[in-house]
Amino acid sequence: MSSSASNSSHHRKLALIISNGNYSRSNNKISHSANKVNNLAEKLQSISFKVTKYTDIQTDPEMFGNVKKFADEITDGDIILFYYSGQSDHVNNKNYLIPIKDDIIESDRDVEDIATSADKILERLVEKNTSYITLFILDCCKSYMRKAGPKSKNATESKGLREMKLTNGALIQFACAPNQTAPGELYSKHLLKNITKRKATIENIFHSIMNDVYEESNQTQKPLTINGLHKHGETNLNKQIIMIPNIVSDAKWQSQAHTIAGGLGLGTDMNKLNCPQGICIDENQTILVADISNHRIMEYTRDKKEGRRIAGKTTSGYNRGHLSGPLNVINDADSKRFIICDSNNRQVLQWTRGSSKKPKIMIDNVACSGLAMDDEGSIYISDSQKHEVRRYCAGERKGTIVAGGHGQGSRPCQLNHPTYIFVDRDQSVYVSDSWNNRVTKWTKGAKEGIVVAGGQGRGKNLTQLDCPTGVTIDASGAVYVADHWNNRIMRWGKNAKHGDIIAGHRYTSGTDSNQLTGPTGLVFDEAGNLYVSDSYNHRVQRYAIKED
């Protein structure tokens, strides 16, 4: 298959993940096995996998029956992921996955009679999916102990898995090298870290897992990768640019925020900000900040208070390398470019990280307030003077109106000074309709917006907003908005009649760690931690999500 077919959004993604941990024989039990499966399921679901999971399968018929049931759902051209965490053994050059009722396994024959052949599982999955991709992951590093008995006078210990043959269309990865075992949960840690990487090829993902485990184990544990994907070109598991966290409906955040940038008063030093506005974050928790009154874009890496200026000159200007009042910034998914709303210069710039070249003017003559990017790489810009939002596909200069465009007003087809915007994976556009004191949602192709927050006039009640700015959503469709002049962050559940305050001290301003003064930019990381540009306190605050 050519690389032109490599866009994973054209293919269904199905995962079968199995955890066996509660073995009959106590010395074979595996702690946290079920947790690994639950965590992996959550990760895969976040990148649009349909997940089937089983825990503590007791017998071979049950194990293979579940595999066959899953395989019957496969249609040729699907991306398939199989993951097994549990005990294993090998007999006659074949690998076997051990069910939890293992109390009679003494000999090779017992293993063959009671356990499930990994080779047989792979054959079953591949035969249903001959033209595309099967990912086969065996997380089996703990030594398996057979019992002592009449067939075997002494308990014997397995020595890990045997290498499996190369299968076209499949990538196989073992948590350990063949004929080796290892303690701990190192492999699953790095599987979870890498599996959802955006815009990374499958080969790069599994290469990163292998290298990360090898390095962290001080070269004592090296996963085996058997790659039969060469004919498929470059394929992504997660093409998505947009990060939308899974947050439960009753989630809470710590009331005391941690300052991650600024907070030392206004200034031009690398540890200070001056009225920060739009912010964005990548998967490494690197923050970009539009430092509007310092006319620059700042970058803050994790746990470092002092930032780095990556665009602008700290003085207003139009010439090369200068910015004037940057209001917003978004990071391209490959982290090599970022896009800036250079508001006073009425232009949107594309800046290449580390390049000495003049930044590219993408769009000019626009009163840009908000920026967003969809999964196809199209750029969305809110124009606060024309009271509209336009989408610009690659190379376009005129764009297409996707929200507003009927003059200034409060009718469903209108906007009034739109500022921050967010675009979801269906290309619905959420707009902070700031002077209408509401957030509206415009589904793809819609001629009118739907009020999803506020819309009850300017005010402090839970049904009201006062100049909403930053806006984002979670996977459930709940809307989060920076309620600028009420000095708070609000959450509006899907179809809710009122919002709830999740950050800030009611509607009073202040400089304490539980207070905000003019919050503007708003973003989540993948774990659901909340980041807010606390504009008039000249800082960026992080509110940690409370764990169960």
Side-chain angles (χ1 to χ4, degrees):
M1 182 173 293
S2 67
S3 59
S4 63
S6 64
N7 184 345
S8 65
S9 64
H10 296 162
H11 304 274
R12 291 196 314 163
K13 294 185 281 191
L14 307 178
L16 173 61
I17 56 180
I18 296 172
S19 161
N20 281 353
N22 192 28
Y23 283 88
S24 300
R25 302 188 61 237
S26 59
N27 56 352
N28 287 323
K29 291 183 183 294
I30 302 174
S31 60
H32 307 303
S33 185
N35 288 339
K36 289 196 291 185
V37 160
N38 291 333
N39 292 336
L40 180 59
E42 185 175 315
K43 285 280 189 179
L44 293 174
Q45 287 165 344
S46 75
I47 56 173
S48 303
F49 268 87
K50 179 183 177 182
V51 177
T52 302
K53 64 179 180 179
Y54 296 101
T55 301
D56 291 336
I57 297 177
Q58 298 191 34
T59 64
D60 169 42
E62 182 185 352
M63 174 90 79
F64 198 68
N66 290 333
V67 171
K68 289 194 292 184
K69 183 178 178 181
F70 172 79
D72 288 342
E73 297 184 24
I74 297 172
T75 57
D76 205 16
D78 292 339
I79 296 177
I80 304 302
L81 185 147
F82 175 83
Y83 170 84
Y84 172 80
S85 169
Q87 291 287 10
S88 64
D89 205 345
H90 66 254
V91 175
N92 295 327
N93 294 319
K94 287 187 178 181
N95 296 311
Y96 288 87
L97 310 184
I98 311 293
I100 64 168
K101 292 188 70 173
D102 68 328
D103 48 346
I104 66 168
I105 293 181
E106 299 177 29
S107 65
D108 286 358
R109 182 62 180 270
D110 292 334
V111 172
E112 292 176 318
D113 288 345
I114 292 171
T116 305
S117 166
D119 305 77
K120 186 178 176 182
I121 292 174
L122 179 59
E123 288 171 8
R124 180 68 176 179
L125 298 177
V126 171
E127 74 179 6
K128 302 288 284 187
N129 191 38
T130 56
S131 70
Y132 213 54
I133 290 170
T134 301
L135 307 175
F136 197 76
I137 306 168
L138 299 181
D139 189 356
C140 312
C141 272
K142 184 177 178 181
S143 296
Y144 179 69
M145 296 295 297
R146 301 181 189 180
K147 68 179 291 187
K151 301 174 186 176
S152 177
K153 293 183 179 180
N154 299 310
T156 57
E157 181 179 358
S158 72
K159 298 298 181 183
L161 298 169
R162 291 286 178 87
E163 186 168 342
M164 296 173 69
K165 67 179 180 179
L166 180 68
T167 301
N168 288 332
L171 184 145
I172 303 167
Q173 189 164 77
F174 296 171
C176 293
N179 302 308
Q180 290 186 7
T181 59
E185 308 296 328
L186 195 56
Y187 179 83
S188 60
K189 170 185 173 180
H190 290 289
L191 173 67
L192 293 170
K193 171 187 169 184
N194 286 283
I195 197 68
T196 57
K197 277 188 174 179
R198 292 192 285 274
K199 297 185 76 174
T201 66
I202 288 174
E203 287 91 339
N204 286 341
I205 287 171
F206 284 90
H207 184 72
S208 295
I209 294 169
M210 181 180 67
N211 283 346
D212 289 351
V213 173
Y214 188 59
E215 289 180 9
E216 188 170 339
S217 67
N218 294 319
Q219 293 77 51
T220 61
Q221 180 180 345
K222 186 173 185 179
L224 169 72
T225 302
I226 305 167
N227 187 0
L229 301 185
H230 305 295
K231 68 176 182 177
H232 293 293
E234 294 186 350
T235 304
N236 303 114
L237 282 185
N238 183 11
K239 182 180 176 289
Q240 295 164 348
I241 295 169
I242 305 166
M243 200 288 294
I244 301 178
N246 287 305
I247 298 175
V248 297
S249 60
D250 59 350
K252 305 290 183 184
W253 287 261
Q254 301 287 347
S255 61
Q256 307 291 325
H258 174 64
T259 300
I260 62 165
L264 300 174
L266 65 87
T268 60
D269 295 339
M270 292 298 105
N271 61 354
K272 293 182 178 180
L273 297 168
N274 191 345
C275 200
Q277 301 288 300
I279 56 176
C280 65
I281 187 170
D282 66 17
E283 60 266 26
N284 298 316
Q285 294 186 320
T286 298
I287 303 286
L288 299 187
V289 182
D291 190 12
I292 185 172
S293 295
N294 281 329
H295 312 289
R296 66 189 184 184
I297 303 299
M298 295 293 290
E299 178 184 71
Y300 292 85
T301 56
R302 187 173 182 178
D303 299 326
K304 289 188 178 180
K305 288 289 184 69
E306 188 164 303
R308 183 168 70 96
R309 177 169 51 85
I310 59 172
K313 298 290 187 180
T314 314
T315 57
S316 178
Y318 180 77
N319 296 328
R320 175 177 174 174
H322 282 82
L323 299 170
S324 183
L327 266 175
N328 221 317
V329 59
I330 57 175
N331 200 30
D332 205 347
D334 60 10
S335 297
K336 294 181 181 178
R337 295 175 296 175
F338 46 95
I339 299 165
I340 303 169
C341 171
D342 188 15
S343 64
N344 292 344
N345 288 325
R346 295 181 58 83
Q347 60 188 3
V348 175
L349 302 175
Q350 183 185 82
W351 210 291
T352 301
R353 189 181 295 270
S355 174
S356 60
K357 295 181 179 179
K358 185 177 180 178
K360 175 183 177 182
I361 299 175
M362 300 180 70
I363 308 295
D364 58 6
N365 194 28
V366 59
C368 172
S369 293
L371 288 172
M373 181 183 288
D374 66 21
D375 280 337
E376 295 178 356
S378 296
I379 302 297
Y380 295 69
I381 301 172
S382 64
D383 189 319
S384 57
Q385 291 182 359
K386 292 182 179 179
H387 311 287
E388 65 185 25
V389 179
R390 286 180 181 258
R391 180 182 67 241
Y392 297 83
C393 298
E396 281 189 339
R397 304 289 291 183
K398 184 178 179 181
T400 302
I401 295 175
V402 294
H406 295 276
Q408 182 178 17
S410 59
R411 290 186 290 139
C413 65
Q414 293 179 305
L415 298 170
N416 189 352
H417 199 80
T419 55
Y420 288 72
I421 54 179
F422 184 87
V423 180
D424 69 15
R425 290 169 185 157
D426 296 322
Q427 296 183 0
S428 294
V429 183
Y430 295 77
V431 184
S432 275
D433 191 8
S434 296
W435 290 2
N436 280 328
N437 301 298
R438 67 189 184 186
V439 176
T440 54
K441 176 183 178 181
W442 300 68
T443 57
K444 187 175 182 180
K447 301 302 181 184
E448 295 183 347
I450 303 166
V451 176
V452 292
Q456 300 298 314
R458 176 184 177 188
K460 300 178 180 179
N461 294 331
L462 294 181
T463 60
Q464 296 176 304
L465 298 169
D466 190 350
C467 193
T469 49
V471 62
T472 188
I473 67 169
D474 67 22
S476 75
V479 175
Y480 300 77
V481 57
D483 192 6
H484 185 75
W485 291 119
N486 282 329
N487 307 299
R488 65 192 184 186
I489 308 301
M490 301 284 286
R491 171 180 177 160
W492 296 66
K494 193 172 184 179
N495 301 320
K497 301 299 182 183
H498 67 82
D500 297 305
I501 301 170
I502 65 167
H505 190 258
R506 296 176 64 84
Y507 43 77
T508 58
S509 64
T511 60
D512 292 341
S513 61
N514 66 339
Q515 293 178 305
L516 297 167
T517 304
T520 309
L522 185 67
V523 69
F524 283 110
D525 64 20
E526 289 184 335
N529 301 306
L530 174 67
Y531 298 74
V532 181
S533 57
D534 188 10
S535 295
Y536 306 133
N537 285 324
H538 313 292
R539 65 190 182 185
V540 176
Q541 300 289 81
R542 178 183 184 271
Y543 292 87
I545 193 167
K546 290 183 178 179
E547 298 182 0
D548 294 337

